[in-house]
Amino acid sequence: MKKQDSKGTGLSPSIRYSEAFKRAVVRDYERGILNKAQIKAKYGIGGKSRVLDWCRKYGKLVYPTGNNGRPMKDPQKQRIKDLEKQLEEARLKVLAYEKLISIAEKEEGISILKKDVAKQLTSLPKPTQEE
C-alpha cells in the first residue's frame, strides 16, 4: 500500500534529507565500496538521480552533467565545432608537453629539444637534377 500525502494523490510525500545525511551518503559512495543502487538500498533513498545530484553538489570528484545538447542541423557547422574542440584539446596537450619538457630540462640539466636542426642537415648531400 502506497503512502498518501496530504493532497490525497496517492503518491508518497517528498522526503527531506539533512545536509549531514547527504554528505554521509556521498562520502560512502565516493569510497567506492558500494555502487549507487546499493547506496540507495542501504539508506532507503528513492529517485533515479538523487544520489548523483548530491554527488555533484557535495562530492569531491567531478561528475559530468551529461547534457551535451542536441546536435546542430547543419553538419558542416557541427564538424567545424568538433574540429575546434579537438584543436583546443591538442593546443592544451602541446602546452602540457612543453611544460613537461622544460621541467625535465631544468631538473636534468640537459637539452631535450634540438634548437637548430638546419646545422645538422649540412652533412647530407644536396639533391641534383637528373635528365
Side-chain angles (χ1 to χ4, degrees), residues 63-92:
Y63 298 92
T65 57
N67 186 8
N68 296 334
R70 65 185 182 126
M72 293 183 180
K73 290 182 178 179
D74 186 6
Q76 294 273 336
K77 288 182 181 179
Q78 183 65 42
R79 175 117 172 98
I80 290 170
K81 188 175 180 180
D82 291 343
L83 290 173
E84 286 174 345
K85 185 177 179 183
Q86 290 175 1
L87 180 64
E88 179 63 20
E89 289 174 359
R91 189 185 69 78
L92 291 174

Side-chain angles (χ1 to χ4, degrees), residues 21-71:
F21 176 79
K22 294 174 187 178
R23 290 183 185 274
V25 169
V26 170
R27 192 173 34 250
D28 279 358
Y29 180 71
E30 287 186 343
R31 285 184 187 150
I33 298 169
L34 302 174
N35 63 24
K36 190 169 79 169
Q38 293 169 332
I39 290 282
K40 287 171 57 174
K42 177 181 176 183
Y43 291 105
I45 301 169
K48 293 181 181 178
S49 62
R50 186 170 285 169
V51 174
L52 184 58
D53 290 341
W54 293 349
C55 288
R56 286 185 185 129
K57 186 172 182 180
Y58 301 109
K60 294 180 181 176
L61 304 176
V62 176
Y63 298 92
T65 57
N67 186 8
N68 296 334
R70 65 185 182 126

Side-chain angles (χ1 to χ4, degrees), residues 1-5 9-13:
M1 192 165 134
K2 293 182 181 178
K3 295 180 183 177
Q4 290 187 349
D5 61 359
T9 60
L11 300 174
S12 60

Side-chain angles (χ1 to χ4, degrees), residues 8-22:
T9 60
L11 300 174
S12 60
S14 61
I15 301 171
R16 303 278 182 197
Y17 297 99
S18 69
E19 188 173 328
F21 176 79
K22 294 174 187 178

